Amino acid sequence: MFLGRKISRVAQALVIAGVSLILSAQQSVRAADEGMTVKVAVEGGFPPFNYLDAQGKLQGFDVDIANALCDTARLSCEFVVQKWQDMIPDLLGKRYDLIVSSMSMSAERRQTVAFTDTYYNSPSVFVVRKDSKLTQIDSETLKGVTLGVTSTTAQEAFADRHYRPATPITVFPTSPDLYTGLADGSVDVILEDKLAIYDWLTNTKAGQCCEFRGDDILDPTFFGEGAGIAMRPADDDLRLRLNKALAEIKTDGTYDMINAKYFPFSIR
């Protein structure tokens, strides 16, 4: 009887020890999981998607989506403000791990980086000053008209392919510079992402000068199937993890709350 109790206590102790080891292992995995640090590149000059506020803090739709995905995927994310032209080279150079900066998933970019599922979609559009005589915009009406685009964007590639050399094209370093160039008459028309320029047209005094003109442009060859989060092709586990988190925030209402903060319409 005594021996039986002794064996029972030993077995109980082993079970407790085993459970403790399992829990400890699970906690270690969870701690490692939660402690995984991912560096996220954002341009910081593309309102309302990403910009620096008066205190120099990153704000915008891209930033809020990135934070929501990091929380849901249990990642510790650090933001890196990065020049647009260096986004992909520095991603491949491992300066950071993700680009969450309204990057369209063009066929050209897919040759060098991997993307998550689409996290928003937006056409490109022509914008002119309200007094512009351009009523219809196509390759014929743009002949001899100065067209503005932002450097190293899908809009620049599209304009190069379809409008040069008949159309003089001015390339601006950033989107704010592009908008200023249109407002002050440096160019006659610009080609820009519709959602990106919506905020400038709607919510700024300078933007009151101008309006959309012509048809929306949706060309998957240049603009892909919307904006995605870019990463190195080898990081497939991270891509799958973010896709799962993206599906979750779209299901639980988090995505819609962020959407409503910036736009009065859905951009899914």
Side-chain angles (χ1 to χ4, degrees):
M1 183 71 80
F2 177 78
L3 183 59
R5 284 199 299 271
K6 186 174 181 180
I7 291 173
S8 177
R9 288 172 182 169
V10 170
Q12 187 179 26
L14 288 171
V15 170
I16 292 171
V19 171
S20 297
L21 285 171
I22 291 170
L23 290 174
S24 176
Q26 289 175 339
Q27 289 168 353
S28 295
V29 170
R30 190 156 51 242
D33 223 20
E34 292 173 349
M36 180 179 176
T37 299
V38 176
K39 291 187 177 181
V40 181
V42 183
E43 182 188 10
F46 194 54
F49 288 96
N50 56 80
Y51 60 94
L52 297 170
D53 64 16
Q55 287 72 46
K57 184 179 179 182
L58 275 171
Q59 304 284 358
F61 179 83
D62 289 330
V63 179
D64 288 356
I65 288 292
N67 279 322
L69 291 175
C70 289
D71 288 344
T72 302
R74 294 194 304 170
L75 297 169
S76 176
C77 290
E78 297 178 0
F79 287 94
V80 177
V81 177
Q82 173 70 33
K83 289 182 179 179
W84 179 256
Q85 292 88 339
D86 299 329
M87 281 280 181
I88 289 179
D90 281 354
L91 171 69
L92 298 176
K94 298 185 177 181
R95 183 166 181 250
Y96 36 78
D97 307 293
L98 301 172
I99 299 172
V100 189
S101 198
S102 293
M103 182 168 282
S104 60
M105 299 183 288
S106 67
E108 181 181 0
R109 287 176 180 145
R110 285 186 183 276
Q111 293 177 9
T112 54
V113 300
F115 285 100
T116 61
D117 294 337
T118 302
Y119 72 96
Y120 82 84
N121 203 354
S122 174
S124 289
V125 356
F126 290 104
V127 184
V128 298
R129 291 183 298 280
K130 290 179 178 177
D131 61 1
S132 172
K133 295 180 180 179
L134 281 170
T135 56
Q136 182 179 350
I137 299 180
D138 54 37
S139 57
E140 285 299 315
T141 59
L142 285 178
K143 287 181 178 179
V145 174
T146 305
L147 172 65
V149 292
T150 303
S151 175
T152 64
T153 60
Q155 288 78 23
E156 181 188 11
F158 182 88
D160 281 341
R161 172 70 63 84
H162 292 285
Y163 305 123
R164 286 190 191 274
T167 301
I169 296 176
T170 300
V171 180
F172 294 86
T174 68
S175 290
D177 294 325
L178 176 69
Y179 306 162
T180 299
L182 176 63
D184 67 17
S186 298
V187 292
D188 301 306
V189 56
I190 65 173
L191 180 62
E192 175 63 302
D193 180 276
K194 188 173 187 176
L195 292 178
I197 200 168
Y198 169 83
D199 180 70
W200 181 73
L201 290 173
T202 306
N203 299 320
T204 70
K205 184 176 181 181
Q208 299 305 303
C209 67
C210 305
E211 64 185 12
F212 297 133
R213 193 74 56 88
D215 298 327
D216 290 350
I217 300 174
L218 288 166
D219 186 333
T221 301
F222 290 91
F223 306 114
E225 298 175 356
I229 297 169
M231 67 204 68
R232 291 179 290 275
D235 293 337
D236 200 51
D237 288 344
L238 181 58
R239 183 183 64 82
L240 295 174
R241 189 167 176 171
L242 288 170
N243 278 340
K244 182 180 178 182
L246 181 58
E248 287 184 28
I249 69 170
K250 286 184 175 180
T251 299
D252 67 17
T254 302
Y255 184 99
D256 291 337
M257 289 177 62
I258 296 171
N259 188 144
K261 179 179 175 182
Y262 296 97
F263 306 102
F265 47 81
S266 176
I267 66 170
R268 285 200 192 197

mmCIF file of all heavy atoms in Angstrom, residues 52 59 74 76 85 90-91 125 127 136 141 164 188 204 209 225 259:
data_model
loop_
_atom_site.group_PDB
_atom_site.id
_atom_site.type_symbol
_atom_site.label_atom_id
_atom_site.label_comp_id
_atom_site.label_asym_id
_atom_site.label_seq_id
_atom_site.Cartn_x
_atom_site.Cartn_y
_atom_site.Cartn_z
ATOM 1 N N LEU A 52 4.030 62.386 -42.134
ATOM 2 C CA LEU A 52 4.526 62.783 -40.818
ATOM 3 C C LEU A 52 3.694 63.956 -40.320
ATOM 4 O O LEU A 52 3.514 64.944 -41.029
ATOM 5 C CB LEU A 52 5.999 63.177 -40.898
ATOM 6 C CG LEU A 52 6.966 62.056 -41.309
ATOM 7 C CD1 LEU A 52 8.350 62.628 -41.598
ATOM 8 C CD2 LEU A 52 7.050 60.990 -40.230
ATOM 9 N N GLN A 59 1.732 58.847 -39.526
ATOM 10 C CA GLN A 59 0.284 58.688 -39.491
ATOM 11 C C GLN A 59 -0.182 58.186 -40.858
ATOM 12 O O GLN A 59 0.577 58.174 -41.824
ATOM 13 C CB GLN A 59 -0.404 60.030 -39.187
ATOM 14 C CG GLN A 59 0.045 60.714 -37.915
ATOM 15 C CD GLN A 59 -0.536 60.067 -36.664
ATOM 16 O OE1 GLN A 59 -1.312 59.110 -36.749
ATOM 17 N NE2 GLN A 59 -0.173 60.583 -35.515
ATOM 18 N N ARG A 74 0.888 39.098 -34.150
ATOM 19 C CA ARG A 74 1.783 39.034 -32.985
ATOM 20 C C ARG A 74 3.239 39.254 -33.383
ATOM 21 O O ARG A 74 4.145 38.496 -33.066
ATOM 22 C CB ARG A 74 1.619 37.705 -32.248
ATOM 23 C CG ARG A 74 0.247 37.542 -31.619
ATOM 24 C CD ARG A 74 0.211 36.410 -30.628
ATOM 25 N NE ARG A 74 0.625 35.149 -31.220
ATOM 26 C CZ ARG A 74 0.868 34.053 -30.517
ATOM 27 N NH1 ARG A 74 0.782 34.081 -29.196
ATOM 28 N NH2 ARG A 74 1.217 32.939 -31.108
ATOM 29 N N SER A 76 6.354 42.272 -33.472
ATOM 30 C CA SER A 76 6.819 43.553 -32.957
ATOM 31 C C SER A 76 7.380 44.339 -34.139
ATOM 32 O O SER A 76 8.401 43.951 -34.723
ATOM 33 C CB SER A 76 7.903 43.337 -31.897
ATOM 34 O OG SER A 76 8.425 44.571 -31.461
ATOM 35 N N GLN A 85 12.302 56.094 -53.879
ATOM 36 C CA GLN A 85 13.162 55.547 -54.926
ATOM 37 C C GLN A 85 14.022 54.383 -54.433
ATOM 38 O O GLN A 85 14.458 53.541 -55.215
ATOM 39 C CB GLN A 85 14.081 56.648 -55.489
ATOM 40 C CG GLN A 85 13.340 57.728 -56.262
ATOM 41 C CD GLN A 85 12.859 58.857 -55.358
ATOM 42 O OE1 GLN A 85 12.735 58.683 -54.145
ATOM 43 N NE2 GLN A 85 12.601 60.015 -55.958
ATOM 44 N N ASP A 90 16.589 48.734 -50.950
ATOM 45 C CA ASP A 90 16.947 48.596 -49.539
ATOM 46 C C ASP A 90 16.197 47.449 -48.861
ATOM 47 O O ASP A 90 16.669 46.901 -47.864
ATOM 48 C CB ASP A 90 16.697 49.914 -48.794
ATOM 49 C CG ASP A 90 17.811 50.918 -49.049
ATOM 50 O OD1 ASP A 90 18.806 50.548 -49.696
ATOM 51 O OD2 ASP A 90 17.693 52.069 -48.599
ATOM 52 N N LEU A 91 15.024 47.075 -49.402
ATOM 53 C CA LEU A 91 14.355 45.866 -48.912
ATOM 54 C C LEU A 91 15.198 44.649 -49.246
ATOM 55 O O LEU A 91 15.467 43.800 -48.379
ATOM 56 C CB LEU A 91 12.966 45.729 -49.549
ATOM 57 C CG LEU A 91 12.236 44.398 -49.300
ATOM 58 C CD1 LEU A 91 11.822 44.282 -47.833
ATOM 59 C CD2 LEU A 91 11.022 44.260 -50.212
ATOM 60 N N VAL A 125 -5.661 58.264 -62.075
ATOM 61 C CA VAL A 125 -6.559 59.232 -62.702
ATOM 62 C C VAL A 125 -5.798 60.474 -63.110
ATOM 63 O O VAL A 125 -4.745 60.774 -62.566
ATOM 64 C CB VAL A 125 -7.717 59.621 -61.762
ATOM 65 C CG1 VAL A 125 -7.737 58.935 -60.563
ATOM 66 C CG2 VAL A 125 -7.966 60.990 -61.583
ATOM 67 N N VAL A 127 -5.608 64.526 -63.340
ATOM 68 C CA VAL A 127 -6.103 65.680 -62.579
ATOM 69 C C VAL A 127 -5.621 66.935 -63.296
ATOM 70 O O VAL A 127 -4.450 67.028 -63.705
ATOM 71 C CB VAL A 127 -5.592 65.666 -61.124
ATOM 72 C CG1 VAL A 127 -6.191 66.825 -60.336
ATOM 73 C CG2 VAL A 127 -5.912 64.343 -60.450
ATOM 74 N N GLN A 136 -11.418 65.899 -72.686
ATOM 75 C CA GLN A 136 -11.197 64.465 -72.855
ATOM 76 C C GLN A 136 -9.703 64.225 -72.847
ATOM 77 O O GLN A 136 -8.936 64.998 -73.443
ATOM 78 C CB GLN A 136 -11.808 63.976 -74.175
ATOM 79 C CG GLN A 136 -11.671 62.487 -74.396
ATOM 80 C CD GLN A 136 -12.310 62.043 -75.701
ATOM 81 O OE1 GLN A 136 -13.016 62.817 -76.345
ATOM 82 N NE2 GLN A 136 -12.038 60.811 -76.107
ATOM 83 N N THR A 141 -5.164 63.898 -77.289
ATOM 84 C CA THR A 141 -5.356 65.208 -76.653
ATOM 85 C C THR A 141 -4.171 65.607 -75.786
ATOM 86 O O THR A 141 -4.011 66.789 -75.465
ATOM 87 C CB THR A 141 -6.643 65.215 -75.803
ATOM 88 O OG1 THR A 141 -6.558 64.202 -74.792
ATOM 89 C CG2 THR A 141 -7.867 64.946 -76.658
ATOM 90 N N ARG A 164 4.974 59.179 -74.275
ATOM 91 C CA ARG A 164 6.200 59.683 -74.878
ATOM 92 C C ARG A 164 6.297 59.199 -76.325
ATOM 93 O O ARG A 164 5.794 58.117 -76.641
ATOM 94 C CB ARG A 164 7.424 59.187 -74.093
ATOM 95 C CG ARG A 164 7.659 59.873 -72.747
ATOM 96 C CD ARG A 164 9.029 59.463 -72.213
ATOM 97 N NE ARG A 164 9.246 59.855 -70.838
ATOM 98 C CZ ARG A 164 9.714 61.053 -70.464
ATOM 99 N NH1 ARG A 164 9.983 61.970 -71.367
ATOM 100 N NH2 ARG A 164 9.911 61.314 -69.191
ATOM 101 N N ASP A 188 0.489 70.882 -67.015
ATOM 102 C CA ASP A 188 -0.914 71.089 -67.369
ATOM 103 C C ASP A 188 -1.846 70.030 -66.788
ATOM 104 O O ASP A 188 -3.029 70.286 -66.546
ATOM 105 C CB ASP A 188 -1.069 71.082 -68.898
ATOM 106 C CG ASP A 188 -0.221 72.157 -69.558
ATOM 107 O OD1 ASP A 188 -0.350 73.331 -69.159
ATOM 108 O OD2 ASP A 188 0.579 71.820 -70.456
ATOM 109 N N THR A 204 -7.692 70.258 -48.721
ATOM 110 C CA THR A 204 -6.689 71.322 -48.645
ATOM 111 C C THR A 204 -7.131 72.528 -49.478
ATOM 112 O O THR A 204 -7.847 72.380 -50.476
ATOM 113 C CB THR A 204 -5.315 70.861 -49.151
ATOM 114 O OG1 THR A 204 -5.364 70.662 -50.577
ATOM 115 C CG2 THR A 204 -4.886 69.554 -48.479
ATOM 116 N N CYS A 209 -8.038 74.122 -56.439
ATOM 117 C CA CYS A 209 -7.765 74.600 -57.799
ATOM 118 C C CYS A 209 -8.102 73.576 -58.863
ATOM 119 O O CYS A 209 -8.287 73.917 -60.031
ATOM 120 C CB CYS A 209 -6.276 74.934 -57.937
ATOM 121 S SG CYS A 209 -5.216 73.459 -57.828
ATOM 122 N N GLU A 225 -2.827 44.472 -59.239
ATOM 123 C CA GLU A 225 -4.180 44.258 -58.732
ATOM 124 C C GLU A 225 -4.332 44.936 -57.383
ATOM 125 O O GLU A 225 -4.737 44.340 -56.394
ATOM 126 C CB GLU A 225 -4.477 42.765 -58.642
ATOM 127 C CG GLU A 225 -4.418 42.072 -60.001
ATOM 128 C CD GLU A 225 -4.602 40.578 -59.917
ATOM 129 O OE1 GLU A 225 -4.695 40.060 -58.786
ATOM 130 O OE2 GLU A 225 -4.651 39.930 -60.973
ATOM 131 N N ASN A 259 -10.586 52.097 -42.555
ATOM 132 C CA ASN A 259 -11.073 52.639 -43.832
ATOM 133 C C ASN A 259 -11.918 53.887 -43.599
ATOM 134 O O ASN A 259 -11.717 54.936 -44.236
ATOM 135 C CB ASN A 259 -11.890 51.553 -44.533
ATOM 136 C CG ASN A 259 -12.290 51.894 -45.954
ATOM 137 O OD1 ASN A 259 -12.329 51.030 -46.817
ATOM 138 N ND2 ASN A 259 -12.627 53.144 -46.239
#
